[in-house]
């Protein structure tokens, strides 16, 4: 039997020990290379695009640049997802490394303990990494001529612990007893290719999304749920009846099931509740992890760092606690 990828040396190209042995200068060099890869690490002004900037460190030692063209100051992370960074750069690399290594997901609480951060700082940090992963899926189209994709849905959230006494319990299967928080994650996954998740109230509500994100000519595999019937108008379909078999005559949704397995294990083992506004983010994280499962961890860290540095400051999480505590 072949060796599991995560046990092989190919999977381990960067360790946390290496990150913590880095000097501040090493961490700066690593981030410069990721941020300004097209100029070989030379600074580019995020305000006017000028290449004419010089280093002007703060008395604290933190690295800043001043642009000769527009006279504005900027840091290595200005205008990126890690804008206004408060931690040493090495900590961001360490956080990304820890996040990538936990292949089923990493809770903010565990991250705060690993790095000695407050829970609030860790919460924002892990969500920014999910946002970076999601950035890779923007505008993604799945499949193509003679490609095969799988579509499936699974419900998350809205769980209410049953009452202690039997006489106080209600049947949560009935519509009137539901919380309305239960949502379905729908995954479109190309076999040997990329994935794209989305969140809906029901599987049937996903038809339009699937049509607009799957390339014409793709063969779609789905289970026998009537929610997928309408897709047959636009695509060649293969259906699998799971009460008969999991895979029959090439029809299966096993790739989609693997995605749900990872997302469900993240929910059960790390996050406990992934409903509400962030359900999509957790789904995108699980999809990124699925698609990158055979990528060496050093490369995963570089990719997430690159995505974070290429993304704009977070709309949801930049200044999150300042806003939420004022509101409270
Ligand atoms: Zn400038």
């Amino acid at each position: 039997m072949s060796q599991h990828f995560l046990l092989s040396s190919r999977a381990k190209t960067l360790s946390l020990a290496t990150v913590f042995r880095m000097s501040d200068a090493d961490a700066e060099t690593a981030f410069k290379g990721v941020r300004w890869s097209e100029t070989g690490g030379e600074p580019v002004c995020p305000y006017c695009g000028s290449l004419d900037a010089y280093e002007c460190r703060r008395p604290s030692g933190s690295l800043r640049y001043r642009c000769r063209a527009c006279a504005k100051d900027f840091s290595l992370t200005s205008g990126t997802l890690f804008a206004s960074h408060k931690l040493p750069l090495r900590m961001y690399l360490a956080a990304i490394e820890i996040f990538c290594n936990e292949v089923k997901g990493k809770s903010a609480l565990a991250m705060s303990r690993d790095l000695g951060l407050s829970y609030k700082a860790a919460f924002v940090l892990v969500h920014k990494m999910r946002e970076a992963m999601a950035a890779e899926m923007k505008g993604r189209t799945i499949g193509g001529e003679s490609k095969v994709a799988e579509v499936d849905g699974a419900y998350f959230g809205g769980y209410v612990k049953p009452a202690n006494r039997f006489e106080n319990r209600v049947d949560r299967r009935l519509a009137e007893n539901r919380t309305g928080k239960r949502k379905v994650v729908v995954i479109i996954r190309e076999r040997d290719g990329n994935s794209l998740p989305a969140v809906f109230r029901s599987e049937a509500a996903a038809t339009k999304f699937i049509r607009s994100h799957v390339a014409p000519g793709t063969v779609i595999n789905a289970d026998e749920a009537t929610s997928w019937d309408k897709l047959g108008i636009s695509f060649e379909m293969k259906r699998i009846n799971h009460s008969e078999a999991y895979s029959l005559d090439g029809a299966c949704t096993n790739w989609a099931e693997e995605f749900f397995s990872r997302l469900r294990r993240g929910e059960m083992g790390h996050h406990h509740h992934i409903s509400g506004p962030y359900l999509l983010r957790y789904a995108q994280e699980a999809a990124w992890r699925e698609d990158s499962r055979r990528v060496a961890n050093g490369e995963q860290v570089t990719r997430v760092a690159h995505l974070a540095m290429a993304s704009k400051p977070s709309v949801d999480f930049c200044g999150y606690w300042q806003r939420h505590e004022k509101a409270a």
Side-chain angles (χ1 to χ4, degrees):
M1 201 180 132
S2 66
Q3 190 184 30
H4 190 287
F5 177 72
L6 291 179
L7 290 172
S8 71
S9 59
R10 283 174 300 127
K12 297 171 265 191
T13 54
L14 181 69
S15 77
L16 202 52
T18 315
V19 173
F20 279 118
R21 274 200 299 269
M22 280 182 170
S23 65
D24 288 340
D26 292 338
E28 279 174 5
T29 308
F31 266 92
K32 277 185 215 168
V34 168
R35 170 91 201 255
W36 295 303
S37 50
E38 62 284 4
T39 58
E42 289 303 312
V44 181
C45 173
Y47 303 102
C48 72
S50 165
L51 297 173
D52 195 6
Y54 58 96
E55 216 179 280
C56 76
R57 279 187 195 272
R58 292 277 159 83
S60 64
S62 75
L63 180 59
R64 289 288 188 287
Y65 296 93
R66 185 159 295 160
C67 173
R68 281 199 181 87
C70 72
K72 284 192 175 125
D73 281 6
F74 58 92
S75 76
L76 254 171
T77 59
S78 295
T80 74
L81 201 54
F82 291 149
S84 319
H85 73 271
K86 306 207 174 42
L87 304 168
L89 289 170
R90 211 174 27 238
M91 285 285 250
Y92 289 90
L93 273 185
I96 298 171
E97 157 100 30
I98 292 169
F99 197 68
C100 288
N101 281 351
E102 280 284 7
V103 297
K104 301 291 191 300
K106 181 81 184 174
S107 77
L109 195 55
M111 184 69 87
S112 80
R113 298 200 293 189
D114 282 345
L115 294 177
L117 302 174
S118 69
Y119 172 71
K120 292 176 179 180
F123 173 86
V124 165
L125 199 52
V126 290
H127 268 299
K128 283 183 178 173
M129 286 188 263
R130 286 184 192 112
E131 208 171 317
M133 290 172 166
E136 209 169 54
M137 290 164 208
K138 239 175 243 169
R140 177 174 279 176
T141 304
I142 303 289
E145 206 59 57
S146 76
K147 298 270 174 65
V148 181
E150 298 178 7
V151 162
D152 202 6
Y155 281 84
F156 289 83
Y159 176 76
V160 180
K161 200 171 180 172
N164 178 32
R165 287 180 175 276
F166 179 78
E167 61 268 29
N168 297 334
R169 290 180 204 162
V170 293
D171 186 351
R172 296 276 169 200
R173 290 169 300 184
L174 302 174
E176 63 267 30
N177 291 330
R178 286 189 195 153
T179 59
K181 283 187 183 162
R182 201 152 176 75
K183 296 267 175 70
V184 63
V185 172
V186 168
I187 187 77
I188 317 171
R189 187 161 192 203
E190 185 182 323
R191 286 187 195 159
D192 289 313
N194 286 326
S195 315
L196 187 65
V199 173
F200 301 93
R201 289 209 161 275
S202 67
E203 284 182 343
T207 311
K208 203 174 145 202
F209 174 84
I210 296 168
R211 274 203 197 117
S212 59
H213 287 88
V214 177
T218 309
V219 178
I220 293 186
N221 283 243
D223 60 26
E224 297 245 293
T226 51
S227 4
W228 313 123
D229 288 354
K230 278 188 184 160
L231 292 172
I233 302 166
S234 317
F235 301 97
E236 184 189 333
M237 301 274 296
K238 282 192 168 185
R239 308 298 286 266
I240 177 81
N241 182 351
H242 283 154
S243 58
E244 270 174 37
Y246 292 118
S247 175
L248 209 59
D249 304 325
C252 78
T253 56
N254 292 351
W255 285 75
E257 302 294 349
E258 277 180 29
F259 160 80
F260 285 120
S261 162
R262 191 178 297 264
L263 182 58
R264 198 66 84 184
R265 287 170 187 201
E267 179 195 34
M268 298 293 188
H270 297 277
H271 309 304
H272 309 302
H273 292 287
I274 57 170
S275 60
Y278 303 127
L279 177 56
L280 177 62
R281 286 284 186 239
Y282 288 103
Q284 287 164 328
E285 176 196 344
W288 194 93
R289 291 182 188 282
E290 268 299 307
D291 295 348
S292 315
R293 71 199 181 289
R294 293 296 177 100
V295 174
N297 71 340
E299 200 185 319
Q300 289 189 16
V301 171
T302 311
R303 253 172 66 195
V304 172
H306 189 86
L307 287 163
M309 299 302 257
S311 299
K312 296 264 178 298
S314 172
V315 176
D316 291 332
F317 291 102
C318 196
Y320 177 88
W321 290 108
Q322 285 91 325
R323 286 197 308 275
H324 282 73
E325 284 180 344
K326 237 179 254 166

